[in-house]
Amino acid sequence: MSVFIDITGLPRERITFGPSPLAELGAALHALSEPAHHAGLHSWITTTSAALKPGLADRLHEADFLWRSARADILLPAVPRETLAEELDDVDLVDDETYVAAALEISCASQYGDGLPSPLVDADVRRRALELATARGPRQAAFVRQMLADPPGVRAWIRRLLEDCEEAFFADTWRRVRLQLAADARHKTEVLRRKGLAEAVAAVSPAITLEEDGLRTRIVVDKLAHGRAAATGRGLTFLPTAFGWPHLVALHTPGWRPVVQYPVSTRELTDATSVDTVKLRLEAVAHPMRMRLCRSLARGSYSTSELADTYGITAPEVSRHLAVLRKAGLLTTERRGRYVLHQLDVAAVARLGSDFLEGVLR
């Protein structure tokens, strides 16, 4: 499962890197809403939350479905600007149907990539959005009903909320991080120019790769989700963020310019494990017999015949279980004469919990 962005025939100059104040504000608001995702931001989250005026904190809670469990597309500009005001001006140019569909996409996440019509014009989509909003509580239900009834009024309310966030805390935060983000974007742009796209996307994140098969070129974002987007004719935008890790956000709404928001380089990003590998490893250790074999293999090296004798199963059965663990990258092997000894890779198993959490949050 991954997000695939088709860039076949896309000129290199249509691939841009740049910091976005609106996207960074969205990432910061997500961190405030879900502090458990961002242990490295504990100090900033604690200080900022404590300084929020009750009225502003209450309004943020009312609108947090825009950035809490996912990120509404209106918060990910395809064309980064210098200031938040400029980016909000761009958002104001979006028509009501598109804006409302983008704002409420979180309520229709299972059909995100289907290109559904706007809730303003389709009764079934509208009803579904209201049902899912109601499931999240009366406050969100009331907010969604108001958005559907008075899009211009709610749009103005959301803009004022984001402007008040800038005044309350984000202007200072943006001054502190924008130089780092701009430097990262310049570096990625230079890598793209000098070394090519494959090197550039590898520098963005180890969870992003370039695939070329002669006829098609696409960027693959390794996520526990499936989606497709076409950058041809639109371009592709990469937005660095200081607030993003462990999230890797990929906007792939049909008809929109694809956008990838990636965390700037940190210690945690040096060895990202693919979600397919995490799935393979979880399945490998979940089997009752393999779990029992791991008990021995974690304590020392064993041959196939020793394990067969210990657990009362045949050597071919042991070999099949060991093959599964080996394919998942959880075993080390050593040959001693005519015997092959197997041992559990304790470090790989120890990382499994953190790899799983990083994978599902990515």
Side-chain angles (χ1 to χ4, degrees), residues 116-196:
L116 294 177
S118 172
L120 292 182
V121 299
D122 187 283
D124 290 335
V125 176
R126 180 188 185 95
R127 182 165 50 252
R128 178 64 173 162
L130 285 169
E131 287 175 356
L132 293 175
T134 300
R136 293 196 175 195
R139 193 165 196 171
Q140 181 168 334
F143 191 92
V144 170
R145 281 195 294 269
Q146 183 65 21
M147 177 175 283
L148 293 170
D150 180 23
V154 174
R155 291 178 65 163
W157 184 92
I158 292 173
R159 173 161 184 155
R160 285 194 301 272
L161 173 62
L162 298 177
E163 290 171 339
D164 289 347
C165 288
E166 182 180 37
E167 181 179 349
F169 65 87
F170 184 68
D172 178 63
T173 298
W174 181 245
R175 278 193 294 269
R176 289 189 289 107
V177 303
R178 67 181 180 88
L179 294 180
Q180 176 194 14
L181 301 184
D184 185 89
R186 285 195 301 271
H187 170 67
K188 301 296 190 297
T189 301
E190 188 65 12
V191 172
L192 175 63
R193 186 180 71 84
R194 290 180 175 273
K195 298 183 178 181

Coordinates of all heavy atoms in Angstrom, one line a residue, residues 116-196:
L116 N -15.1 12.6 -5.3 CA -16.5 12.7 -5.1 C -17.0 14.2 -5.3 O -16.2 15.1 -5.1 CB -16.9 12.3 -3.6 CG -16.7 10.9 -3.2 CD1 -17.0 10.7 -1.7 CD2 -17.6 10.0 -4.0
P117 N -18.2 14.4 -5.7 CA -18.7 15.7 -5.8 C -18.8 16.4 -4.5 O -18.7 15.8 -3.4 CB -20.1 15.6 -6.4 CG -20.5 14.1 -6.0 CD -19.2 13.4 -6.0
S118 N -19.0 17.7 -4.5 CA -19.0 18.5 -3.3 C -20.3 18.2 -2.5 O -21.4 18.0 -3.1 CB -19.0 20.0 -3.6 OG -19.2 20.8 -2.4
P119 N -20.3 18.2 -1.2 CA -21.5 18.1 -0.4 C -22.5 19.2 -0.6 O -23.7 19.0 -0.4 CB -21.0 18.2 1.1 CG -19.6 17.8 1.0 CD -19.1 18.3 -0.3
L120 N -22.0 20.3 -1.2 CA -23.0 21.4 -1.5 C -23.9 21.1 -2.7 O -24.9 21.7 -2.8 CB -22.2 22.7 -1.8 CG -21.4 23.3 -0.6 CD1 -20.7 24.6 -1.1 CD2 -22.3 23.6 0.5
V121 N -23.5 20.1 -3.5 CA -24.3 19.8 -4.7 C -24.8 18.4 -4.8 O -25.6 18.1 -5.7 CB -23.5 20.2 -6.0 CG1 -23.1 21.6 -6.0 CG2 -22.2 19.3 -6.1
D122 N -24.3 17.5 -3.9 CA -24.7 16.1 -4.0 C -25.3 15.7 -2.6 O -24.7 15.8 -1.6 CB -23.5 15.3 -4.3 CG -23.9 13.8 -4.5 OD1 -24.1 13.1 -3.5 OD2 -23.9 13.4 -5.7
A123 N -26.6 15.3 -2.7 CA -27.3 15.0 -1.4 C -26.7 13.8 -0.7 O -26.7 13.8 0.5 CB -28.8 14.8 -1.8
D124 N -26.3 12.8 -1.4 CA -25.7 11.6 -0.8 C -24.4 11.9 0.0 O -24.2 11.5 1.1 CB -25.5 10.5 -1.8 CG -26.8 9.9 -2.3 OD1 -27.8 10.0 -1.6 OD2 -26.8 9.4 -3.4
V125 N -23.6 12.7 -0.7 CA -22.3 13.1 -0.1 C -22.6 14.0 1.1 O -21.9 13.9 2.2 CB -21.4 13.8 -1.1 CG1 -20.1 14.3 -0.4 CG2 -21.0 12.8 -2.2
R126 N -23.5 14.9 1.0 CA -23.9 15.8 2.1 C -24.4 15.0 3.3 O -24.0 15.2 4.4 CB -25.0 16.7 1.6 CG -25.5 17.8 2.6 CD -26.7 18.5 2.1 NE -27.1 19.6 2.9 CZ -26.7 20.8 2.9 NH1 -25.9 21.2 1.9 NH2 -27.2 21.7 3.7
R127 N -25.3 14.0 3.0 CA -25.8 13.2 4.1 C -24.7 12.4 4.8 O -24.7 12.3 6.0 CB -26.9 12.3 3.5 CG -27.6 11.4 4.6 CD -28.9 10.7 4.0 NE -28.6 10.1 2.8 CZ -29.1 10.6 1.6 NH1 -29.8 11.7 1.5 NH2 -28.9 9.9 0.5
R128 N -23.8 11.8 4.0 CA -22.7 11.1 4.6 C -21.8 11.9 5.5 O -21.4 11.5 6.5 CB -21.9 10.4 3.4 CG -20.7 9.6 3.9 CD -21.1 8.4 4.7 NE -19.9 7.6 5.0 CZ -19.9 6.7 5.9 NH1 -21.0 6.5 6.7 NH2 -18.8 5.9 6.1
A129 N -21.5 13.2 5.0 CA -20.7 14.1 5.8 C -21.3 14.4 7.1 O -20.7 14.4 8.2 CB -20.4 15.3 5.0
L130 N -22.7 14.6 7.1 CA -23.4 14.9 8.3 C -23.4 13.7 9.3 O -23.3 13.9 10.5 CB -24.8 15.4 8.0 CG -24.9 16.8 7.4 CD1 -26.3 17.1 6.9 CD2 -24.6 17.8 8.5
E131 N -23.6 12.5 8.7 CA -23.6 11.3 9.6 C -22.3 11.1 10.3 O -22.2 10.9 11.5 CB -23.9 10.1 8.7 CG -25.4 10.0 8.2 CD -25.6 8.8 7.3 OE1 -24.5 8.2 6.9 OE2 -26.7 8.6 6.9
L132 N -21.2 11.3 9.5 CA -19.9 11.1 10.1 C -19.5 12.2 11.1 O -18.9 11.9 12.1 CB -18.8 10.9 9.0 CG -19.0 9.7 8.2 CD1 -18.0 9.7 7.0 CD2 -18.8 8.4 9.0
A133 N -20.0 13.4 10.8 CA -19.7 14.5 11.7 C -20.5 14.3 13.0 O -20.0 14.5 14.1 CB -20.1 15.8 11.1
T134 N -21.7 13.8 12.9 CA -22.5 13.5 14.1 C -21.9 12.4 15.0 O -21.9 12.5 16.2 CB -23.9 13.0 13.7 OG1 -24.5 14.1 12.9 CG2 -24.8 12.7 14.9
A135 N -21.2 11.5 14.3 CA -20.6 10.4 15.1 C -19.4 10.9 15.9 O -19.0 10.3 16.9 CB -20.1 9.3 14.1
R136 N -18.9 12.1 15.5 CA -17.8 12.7 16.2 C -18.2 13.6 17.3 O -17.4 14.3 18.0 CB -16.9 13.5 15.3 CG -16.1 12.5 14.3 CD -15.0 13.2 13.7 NE -14.2 12.3 12.8 CZ -13.0 12.6 12.4 NH1 -12.4 13.7 12.7 NH2 -12.4 11.7 11.6
G137 N -19.6 13.8 17.5 CA -20.1 14.6 18.6 C -20.9 15.8 18.1 O -20.8 16.2 16.9
P138 N -21.7 16.3 19.0 CA -22.6 17.4 18.6 C -21.9 18.7 18.2 O -22.5 19.4 17.3 CB -23.5 17.6 19.9 CG -22.6 17.1 21.0 CD -21.9 15.9 20.4
R139 N -20.8 18.9 18.7 CA -20.1 20.1 18.3 C -19.6 20.1 16.9 O -19.8 21.1 16.2 CB -18.9 20.3 19.3 CG -18.3 21.7 19.2 CD -17.3 22.0 20.3 NE -17.0 23.4 20.5 CZ -16.4 23.9 21.5 NH1 -16.0 23.1 22.5 NH2 -16.2 25.2 21.6
Q140 N -19.0 19.0 16.5 CA -18.6 18.9 15.1 C -19.8 18.9 14.1 O -19.8 19.4 13.1 CB -17.7 17.7 14.8 CG -17.2 17.7 13.3 CD -16.1 16.7 13.1 OE1 -15.3 16.4 14.0 NE2 -16.0 16.2 11.9
A141 N -20.9 18.2 14.6 CA -22.1 18.1 13.7 C -22.6 19.5 13.5 O -23.0 19.9 12.4 CB -23.1 17.2 14.4
A142 N -22.7 20.3 14.6 CA -23.2 21.7 14.4 C -22.3 22.5 13.5 O -22.8 23.3 12.7 CB -23.3 22.3 15.8
F143 N -21.0 22.3 13.6 CA -20.0 23.1 12.8 C -20.2 22.7 11.3 O -20.2 23.6 10.4 CB -18.6 22.8 13.2 CG -17.6 23.7 12.6 CD1 -17.2 24.9 13.3 CD2 -17.0 23.4 11.4 CE1 -16.3 25.7 12.7 CE2 -16.0 24.2 10.8 CZ -15.7 25.4 11.5
V144 N -20.3 21.4 11.0 CA -20.5 21.0 9.6 C -21.8 21.4 9.1 O -21.9 21.9 7.9 CB -20.4 19.4 9.5 CG1 -20.8 18.9 8.2 CG2 -18.9 19.0 9.9
R145 N -22.9 21.4 9.9 CA -24.2 21.9 9.4 C -24.1 23.4 9.1 O -24.6 23.8 8.1 CB -25.3 21.7 10.5 CG -25.8 20.3 10.5 CD -27.1 20.2 11.3 NE -26.9 20.5 12.7 CZ -26.6 19.6 13.6 NH1 -26.5 18.3 13.3 NH2 -26.4 19.9 14.9
Q146 N -23.4 24.1 9.9 CA -23.2 25.5 9.6 C -22.4 25.8 8.3 O -22.7 26.7 7.5 CB -22.5 26.2 10.8 CG -22.3 27.7 10.7 CD -23.7 28.5 10.6 OE1 -24.7 28.0 11.1 NE2 -23.7 29.7 10.1
M147 N -21.4 24.9 8.1 CA -20.5 25.1 6.9 C -21.4 24.8 5.7 O -21.2 25.5 4.7 CB -19.3 24.2 7.0 CG -18.5 24.2 5.7 SD -17.0 23.2 5.9 CE -16.0 24.2 6.9
L148 N -22.2 23.8 5.8 CA -23.1 23.5 4.6 C -24.1 24.5 4.4 O -24.5 24.8 3.2 CB -23.7 22.1 4.8 CG -22.7 20.9 4.9 CD1 -23.5 19.7 5.3 CD2 -22.1 20.7 3.5
A149 N -24.6 25.2 5.4 CA -25.7 26.2 5.3 C -25.1 27.5 4.9 O -25.8 28.3 4.2 CB -26.4 26.3 6.6
D150 N -23.9 27.9 5.4 CA -23.4 29.2 5.1 C -21.9 29.1 4.9 O -21.0 29.5 5.7 CB -23.6 30.1 6.4 CG -23.1 31.5 6.2 OD1 -22.9 32.0 5.1 OD2 -22.8 32.2 7.3
P151 N -21.5 28.6 3.7 CA -20.0 28.5 3.4 C -19.3 29.8 3.5 O -18.2 29.8 4.2 CB -20.0 27.9 2.0 CG -21.3 27.2 1.8 CD -22.3 28.0 2.6
P152 N -19.7 30.9 3.0 CA -18.9 32.1 3.1 C -18.7 32.5 4.6 O -17.6 33.0 4.9 CB -19.8 33.2 2.4 CG -20.6 32.4 1.4 CD -20.9 31.1 2.2
G153 N -19.7 32.4 5.4 CA -19.6 32.8 6.8 C -18.6 31.9 7.5 O -17.7 32.4 8.3
V154 N -18.6 30.6 7.3 CA -17.7 29.7 8.0 C -16.3 29.9 7.4 O -15.3 29.8 8.2 CB -18.2 28.2 7.8 CG1 -17.1 27.3 8.4 CG2 -19.5 28.0 8.5
R155 N -16.2 30.1 6.1 CA -14.8 30.4 5.6 C -14.2 31.6 6.2 O -13.0 31.6 6.5 CB -14.9 30.5 4.1 CG -15.3 29.3 3.3 CD -15.4 29.5 1.8 NE -14.2 29.9 1.2 CZ -13.9 29.9 -0.1 NH1 -14.9 29.5 -0.9 NH2 -12.7 30.2 -0.6
A156 N -15.0 32.6 6.4 CA -14.4 33.8 7.0 C -14.0 33.5 8.5 O -13.0 34.0 9.0 CB -15.5 35.0 7.0
W157 N -14.9 32.7 9.2 CA -14.6 32.3 10.6 C -13.3 31.6 10.6 O -12.4 31.8 11.5 CB -15.7 31.5 11.1 CG -15.6 31.1 12.5 CD1 -16.1 31.8 13.6 CD2 -15.0 30.0 13.1 NE1 -15.9 31.1 14.8 CE2 -15.2 30.0 14.5 CE3 -14.3 28.9 12.5 CZ2 -14.7 29.0 15.3 CZ3 -13.8 27.9 13.4 CH2 -14.0 28.0 14.7
I158 N -13.0 30.6 9.7 CA -11.8 29.8 9.7 C -10.6 30.7 9.4 O -9.5 30.6 10.1 CB -11.9 28.7 8.7 CG1 -12.9 27.6 9.1 CG2 -10.5 28.0 8.5 CD1 -13.2 26.6 8.1
R159 N -10.7 31.7 8.5 CA -9.6 32.6 8.2 C -9.3 33.4 9.4 O -8.1 33.5 9.8 CB -9.9 33.5 7.0 CG -8.8 34.5 6.8 CD -8.8 35.1 5.5 NE -7.7 36.1 5.4 CZ -7.1 36.4 4.3 NH1 -7.5 35.9 3.1 NH2 -6.0 37.2 4.3
R160 N -10.3 33.9 10.1 CA -10.0 34.7 11.3 C -9.3 33.9 12.4 O -8.4 34.3 13.1 CB -11.3 35.3 11.9 CG -11.9 36.5 11.1 CD -12.9 37.2 11.9 NE -14.0 36.4 12.2 CZ -15.1 36.2 11.5 NH1 -15.2 36.7 10.3 NH2 -16.1 35.4 11.9
L161 N -9.7 32.6 12.5 CA -9.1 31.7 13.5 C -7.6 31.5 13.2 O -6.8 31.6 14.1 CB -9.8 30.3 13.4 CG -9.2 29.2 14.3 CD1 -9.2 29.6 15.7 CD2 -10.0 27.9 14.0
L162 N -7.3 31.3 11.9 CA -5.9 31.1 11.5 C -5.1 32.4 11.7 O -3.9 32.3 12.2 CB -5.8 30.6 10.1 CG -6.5 29.2 9.8 CD1 -6.4 28.9 8.4 CD2 -5.8 28.1 10.7
E163 N -5.7 33.5 11.4 CA -5.0 34.8 11.7 C -4.8 35.0 13.1 O -3.8 35.6 13.6 CB -5.9 35.9 11.0 CG -5.9 35.9 9.5 CD -6.8 36.9 8.9 OE1 -7.8 37.3 9.6 OE2 -6.7 37.2 7.7
D164 N -5.8 34.7 14.0 CA -5.6 34.8 15.4 C -4.5 33.9 16.0 O -3.8 34.3 16.9 CB -6.9 34.5 16.1 CG -8.0 35.6 15.9 OD1 -7.6 36.7 15.4 OD2 -9.2 35.4 16.2
C165 N -4.4 32.7 15.4 CA -3.3 31.8 15.7 C -1.9 32.5 15.4 O -1.0 32.3 16.2 CB -3.4 30.5 15.0 SG -4.8 29.4 15.6
E166 N -1.9 33.1 14.3 CA -0.6 33.8 13.9 C -0.3 34.8 14.9 O 0.9 34.9 15.3 CB -0.8 34.4 12.5 CG 0.5 35.1 12.0 CD 0.4 35.7 10.7 OE1 -0.7 36.2 10.3 OE2 1.4 35.7 9.9
E167 N -1.3 35.6 15.3 CA -1.0 36.7 16.3 C -0.7 36.1 17.6 O 0.2 36.6 18.3 CB -2.3 37.6 16.4 CG -2.1 38.7 17.4 CD -3.3 39.6 17.4 OE1 -4.2 39.5 16.6 OE2 -3.4 40.5 18.3
A168 N -1.3 35.0 18.0 CA -1.1 34.5 19.4 C 0.2 33.8 19.6 O 0.9 33.9 20.6 CB -2.3 33.6 19.7
F169 N 0.6 33.0 18.6 CA 1.8 32.2 18.8 C 2.6 31.9 17.5 O 3.8 31.6 17.5 CB 1.5 30.9 19.5 CG 0.6 29.9 18.7 CD1 1.2 29.0 17.8 CD2 -0.8 29.9 18.8 CE1 0.4 28.1 17.0 CE2 -1.6 29.1 18.1 CZ -1.0 28.2 17.2
F170 N 1.9 31.8 16.3 CA 2.6 31.3 15.2 C 3.6 32.2 14.5 O 4.5 31.8 14.0 CB 1.5 30.8 14.1 CG 2.2 30.1 12.9 CD1 2.8 28.9 13.1 CD2 2.2 30.8 11.7 CE1 3.4 28.3 12.0 CE2 2.8 30.1 10.6 CZ 3.4 28.9 10.8
A171 N 3.3 33.5 14.6 CA 4.3 34.5 14.0 C 5.7 34.3 14.6 O 6.7 34.2 13.9 CB 3.8 35.9 14.2
D172 N 5.7 34.1 15.9 CA 7.0 33.9 16.6 C 7.6 32.5 16.2 O 8.8 32.4 15.9 CB 6.9 34.0 18.1 CG 8.2 33.7 18.8 OD1 9.1 34.5 18.6 OD2 8.3 32.7 19.5
T173 N 6.7 31.5 16.1 CA 7.2 30.2 15.7 C 7.7 30.2 14.3 O 8.8 29.6 14.0 CB 6.0 29.2 15.9 OG1 5.6 29.1 17.2 CG2 6.4 27.8 15.4
W174 N 7.0 30.8 13.4 CA 7.4 30.9 12.0 C 8.8 31.6 11.8 O 9.6 31.2 11.0 CB 6.3 31.6 11.2 CG 6.6 31.6 9.7 CD1 6.8 32.7 9.0 CD2 6.8 30.5 8.8 NE1 7.1 32.4 7.7 CE2 7.1 31.0 7.5 CE3 6.7 29.1 9.0 CZ2 7.3 30.2 6.4 CZ3 6.9 28.3 7.9 CH2 7.2 28.9 6.6
R175 N 9.0 32.7 12.6 CA 10.3 33.4 12.5 C 11.4 32.4 12.9 O 12.5 32.5 12.4 CB 10.3 34.6 13.5 CG 9.6 35.8 12.9 CD 9.9 37.0 13.7 NE 9.3 37.0 15.0 CZ 8.1 37.4 15.3 NH1 7.3 37.9 14.4 NH2 7.6 37.3 16.6
R176 N 11.1 31.5 13.8 CA 12.2 30.6 14.3 C 12.5 29.4 13.4 O 13.6 28.9 13.3 CB 11.8 30.1 15.7 CG 11.9 31.1 16.8 CD 11.8 30.5 18.2 NE 10.5 30.1 18.5 CZ 10.1 28.8 18.5 NH1 10.9 27.8 18.3 NH2 8.8 28.5 18.8
V177 N 11.5 29.0 12.6 CA 11.7 27.8 11.8 C 11.8 28.1 10.3 O 12.3 27.2 9.6 CB 10.5 26.8 12.0 CG1 10.4 26.4 13.5 CG2 9.2 27.3 11.4
R178 N 11.4 29.3 9.8 CA 11.3 29.5 8.4 C 12.7 29.4 7.7 O 12.8 29.0 6.6 CB 10.6 30.8 8.0 CG 11.3 32.1 8.5 CD 10.5 33.3 8.1 NE 11.1 34.5 8.5 CZ 12.0 35.1 7.7 NH1 12.3 34.7 6.5 NH2 12.6 36.2 8.1
L179 N 13.7 29.9 8.4 CA 15.1 29.9 7.8 C 15.5 28.5 7.6 O 16.2 28.1 6.6 CB 16.0 30.7 8.7 CG 15.8 32.2 8.7 CD1 16.8 32.9 9.6 CD2 15.8 32.8 7.3
Q180 N 15.3 27.6 8.6 CA 15.6 26.2 8.5 C 14.9 25.5 7.4 O 15.5 24.8 6.6 CB 15.3 25.5 9.8 CG 15.5 24.0 9.8 CD 14.9 23.2 10.9 OE1 14.1 23.8 11.6 NE2 15.3 22.0 11.1
L181 N 13.6 25.8 7.2 CA 12.8 25.2 6.2 C 13.2 25.8 4.8 O 13.3 25.0 3.8 CB 11.3 25.5 6.4 CG 10.7 25.0 7.7 CD1 9.2 25.3 7.7 CD2 11.0 23.5 7.9
A182 N 13.5 27.1 4.7 CA 14.0 27.6 3.4 C 15.3 27.0 3.0 O 15.6 26.7 1.8 CB 14.1 29.1 3.5
A183 N 16.2 26.8 4.0 CA 17.5 26.2 3.7 C 17.4 24.8 3.2 O 18.0 24.3 2.3 CB 18.4 26.3 4.9
D184 N 16.4 24.0 3.9 CA 16.2 22.7 3.4 C 15.6 22.6 2.0 O 16.1 21.8 1.2 CB 15.2 22.0 4.4 CG 15.0 20.5 4.1 OD1 15.8 19.7 4.6 OD2 14.1 20.2 3.3
A185 N 14.7 23.5 1.7 CA 14.1 23.6 0.4 C 15.2 23.9 -0.7 O 15.2 23.3 -1.8 CB 13.0 24.6 0.3
R186 N 16.1 24.9 -0.4 CA 17.1 25.2 -1.3 C 18.1 24.0 -1.5 O 18.5 23.8 -2.7 CB 17.9 26.4 -0.8 CG 17.2 27.7 -0.9 CD 18.2 28.9 -0.7 NE 18.8 28.8 0.6 CZ 18.3 29.4 1.7 NH1 17.2 30.1 1.7 NH2 19.0 29.3 2.9
H187 N 18.4 23.3 -0.5 CA 19.2 22.1 -0.6 C 18.6 21.1 -1.5 O 19.3 20.5 -2.4 CB 19.5 21.6 0.8 CG 20.2 20.2 0.7 ND1 21.5 20.1 0.3 CD2 19.8 19.0 1.1 CE1 21.9 18.8 0.4 NE2 20.8 18.1 0.8
K188 N 17.3 20.8 -1.3 CA 16.7 19.8 -2.1 C 16.6 20.2 -3.6 O 16.7 19.4 -4.5 CB 15.2 19.5 -1.6 CG 15.2 19.0 -0.1 CD 15.8 17.7 0.0 CE 15.5 17.1 1.4 NZ 16.1 17.9 2.5
T189 N 16.4 21.5 -3.8 CA 16.3 22.1 -5.2 C 17.7 21.9 -5.8 O 17.8 21.5 -7.0 CB 15.9 23.5 -5.1 OG1 14.6 23.7 -4.5 CG2 15.9 24.1 -6.5
E190 N 18.8 22.1 -5.1 CA 20.1 22.0 -5.6 C 20.4 20.5 -5.9 O 21.0 20.2 -6.9 CB 21.1 22.5 -4.6 CG 22.5 22.6 -5.2 CD 22.7 23.6 -6.3 OE1 21.7 24.4 -6.6 OE2 23.8 23.6 -7.0
V191 N 20.0 19.6 -5.0 CA 20.2 18.2 -5.3 C 19.4 17.8 -6.6 O 19.9 17.0 -7.4 CB 19.7 17.3 -4.1 CG1 19.7 15.8 -4.5 CG2 20.5 17.6 -2.9
L192 N 18.2 18.3 -6.7 CA 17.4 18.0 -7.9 C 18.1 18.5 -9.2 O 18.2 17.8 -10.2 CB 16.0 18.7 -7.8 CG 15.1 18.6 -9.1 CD1 14.8 17.1 -9.4 CD2 13.9 19.4 -8.9
R193 N 18.7 19.7 -9.1 CA 19.4 20.2 -10.3 C 20.7 19.5 -10.6 O 21.0 19.2 -11.8 CB 19.7 21.7 -10.0 CG 20.3 22.5 -11.2 CD 20.5 23.9 -10.9 NE 21.7 24.1 -10.0 CZ 22.9 24.1 -10.3 NH1 23.2 24.0 -11.6 NH2 23.9 24.3 -9.5
R194 N 21.4 19.2 -9.6 CA 22.8 18.6 -9.8 C 22.8 17.1 -10.0 O 23.5 16.5 -10.8 CB 23.7 19.0 -8.7 CG 24.1 20.4 -8.7 CD 25.0 20.7 -7.5 NE 25.5 22.1 -7.5 CZ 26.6 22.5 -8.2 NH1 27.3 21.6 -8.8 NH2 27.0 23.8 -8.1
K195 N 21.9 16.4 -9.2 CA 22.0 14.9 -9.1 C 20.8 14.2 -9.7 O 20.8 13.0 -9.9 CB 22.2 14.5 -7.7 CG 23.6 15.0 -7.1 CD 23.8 14.4 -5.7 CE 25.1 14.9 -5.1 NZ 25.3 14.3 -3.8
G196 N 19.7 15.0 -9.9 CA 18.5 14.3 -10.5 C 17.4 14.0 -9.5 O 17.6 14.2 -8.3

